[in-house]
Amino acid sequence: MFSFNIARIIEAYKLTKRMFGGYKKQIILLTILGFFSGLLEAVGVNALIPLFSFFVKSEERLGGDLIAQFIKDFFAFLHMPFTLPTLLIFICALFTVKALLTLYFNYIRADIRLEYERTTMTSLYKETLYANWPYLSRQKIGHLETIIMTNVRQSARLLESIARHVGVVTELLIYLFVALTISKTVTLLTLVLGGFIFLVFKPLLYKVRNMSKETEGLNREVSRHINESIGGMKIIKAMGSEDDFIRISSFHFDLYRKLLVRISIINNFMITFIQPISVVFISLVVAFAYYKTSYNIGALAAIIYLIQKMFAHIQSLQAFAQIVSNDVPYVQGVLTYKEQAVRYNERQEKNRSDIPFSFKDSLSFENVSFAYETGDTILKDISFIVPKGATVGLIGKSGSGKTTFFDLVLRLLKPDSGVIKIDGTNIQSIDISLWRSRIAYVPQDVFLLNDTIYNNIIFYDQNIKREEVEYATRLAHLEEFVRELKDGYNTIVGERGVRLSGGQRQRIAIARALARRPEILLLDEATSALDVESEAYVQEAIKELKGKMTILIIAHRLGTVSHSDTLVVIDDGHIIESGKPSELLKDKETYYGRVYNIQN
């Protein structure tokens, strides 16, 4: 059991060092402040002993201890009269300075907590956005939100508690030393009783930790459920499934309440019983001093005050132990999440390159194959060349690998074999930020911010100028729509663009892509939600862009790709047809020819 406890202590130390090691200097400063704060209070309390001499009028009966004698010698050293007024001024001065030190102590403590929250939240968000796509695609909805908004704050509470209890421990040691100079017996009995309290309550601490682990996991599950519900609110209402979702959420909320109630009962039970125990102990000390010893009044008052302070600090340490048991699972959650995100960081130093982006000739695919972790091979030995400025259409059945092909170009995924080259250079050797800055992507499922149309087009990129936004708006045939709005570009689109039609959302996404003036434009079913008229506008825009940038288009509507320079047909991960649309139409047995006849 002892070795097990030592192992737990070592584990807790390593965990806090990993998490809060960057705040070592501040914690040392708090230790120093706590020492002087406790020392000043202890000296002030001991001044009660000589203070009572002015009322009792009997030095011999009052006696004295080491610190009380030091106070008298200190007055003599300063050539100050040892009188009641000067002693009272001395005591008031000590406690005033102690209060100022406490104020500064609390300021540093709060600053440590808030700085930790800021830096950790920023770091977690950054590492998440820098993580690679396969890792991110495995994360549950709402997980990051829970880690940042719940786990980080609970971890910050633990850091603040550590900072505060550095002072508590320091003050407790000072009180202990001073109390020993007055009465070794009473002080040792106080320590024994305090240790006994810890031993009695230790099993409850383990129970709190286990329930806190369960609560931390439940927090993530509740956040996931709420985010999914909000994201799918329209389909939930359309299918009349409100009561089913409410039933699931009520189950989670009820379980959450039960866990927190149990944790609260145990925590309050442990803290509440320390106070009456201390009162009973102090009463016994007073009774013993009154009937069995020749305690002087000053010493008795001082020792009672110190015992009360020691019990208050023991109670505080007990509360700290509860906070540790409660918050350690949250700290572990933050560390685990951050370490995983860092491990899958796609912008690590080893992935950086000084090779410039150069696109003067072609983008080529040489024997490219890819399979997901499930083992399903999506693309098989794909090879073809896209000349600079060409417009290439990709068609095929759903699930044939077209979107995966785009993910490889975007470098969201890496080929298992083969290579993608631009002007003969492996695209994996180009800095990923530089690569993506030259590519624009319009997905089938449009993502819009709950912000203005203007901010949705620039996507928070302050380098994009107003004239570039207006240029992109014209090309996406969005100009007339924006002009008719009361607030124009400043119109709020709502959560995920809920206030707009599907076609309007799609055209904003296209404008967002064009505003960057990319060298390569990827359109993944980008016209799927457009009406016939809007699709015609976008097709005209694509025609205007031909030769100005390289365009790759995935489409099921053949009208969108009918003007492509080259059409590539993918089926079951293989290229089964390629050529000019007009040439492929000559053979009615081709995939393109069959689908063209069906759609027309």
Side-chain angles (χ1 to χ4, degrees), residues 158-176:
L158 177 58
L159 174 59
E160 184 182 37
S161 188
I162 290 172
R164 180 163 62 88
H165 284 86
V166 162
V168 169
V169 171
T170 307
E171 288 185 354
L172 181 59
L173 292 174
I174 294 292
Y175 296 149
L176 178 62

Side-chain angles (χ1 to χ4, degrees), residues 128 288 344:
T128 299
F288 182 78
Y344 293 103

Side-chain angles (χ1 to χ4, degrees), residues 112-135:
I112 289 174
R113 172 176 183 159
L114 295 174
E115 178 62 17
Y116 167 80
E117 283 190 11
R118 183 190 68 82
T119 56
T120 306
M121 287 177 174
T122 302
S123 175
L124 287 173
Y125 189 73
K126 183 187 76 172
E127 295 298 346
T128 299
L129 293 188
Y130 283 173
N132 63 37
W133 177 243
Y135 167 76

Side-chain angles (χ1 to χ4, degrees), residues 433-461:
S433 299
L434 177 61
W435 174 258
R436 289 178 182 162
S437 70
R438 304 299 177 88
I439 296 178
Y441 171 59
V442 181
Q444 180 177 1
D445 298 321
V446 176
F447 171 73
L448 294 183
L449 307 165
N450 187 6
D451 207 326
T452 63
I453 291 176
Y454 187 88
N455 282 336
N456 269 285
I457 293 175
I458 67 170
F459 218 49
Y460 297 149
D461 186 348

Side-chain angles (χ1 to χ4, degrees), residues 186-218:
V186 174
T187 304
L188 292 175
L189 285 173
T190 304
L191 283 178
V192 169
L193 182 57
F196 177 75
I197 292 171
F198 266 107
L199 288 174
V200 169
F201 289 150
K202 188 174 69 172
L204 296 178
L205 293 175
Y206 294 153
K207 187 177 289 291
V208 167
R209 175 175 289 194
N210 290 332
M211 286 190 292
S212 295
K213 285 182 180 179
E214 192 174 347
T215 304
E216 192 268 339
L218 186 59

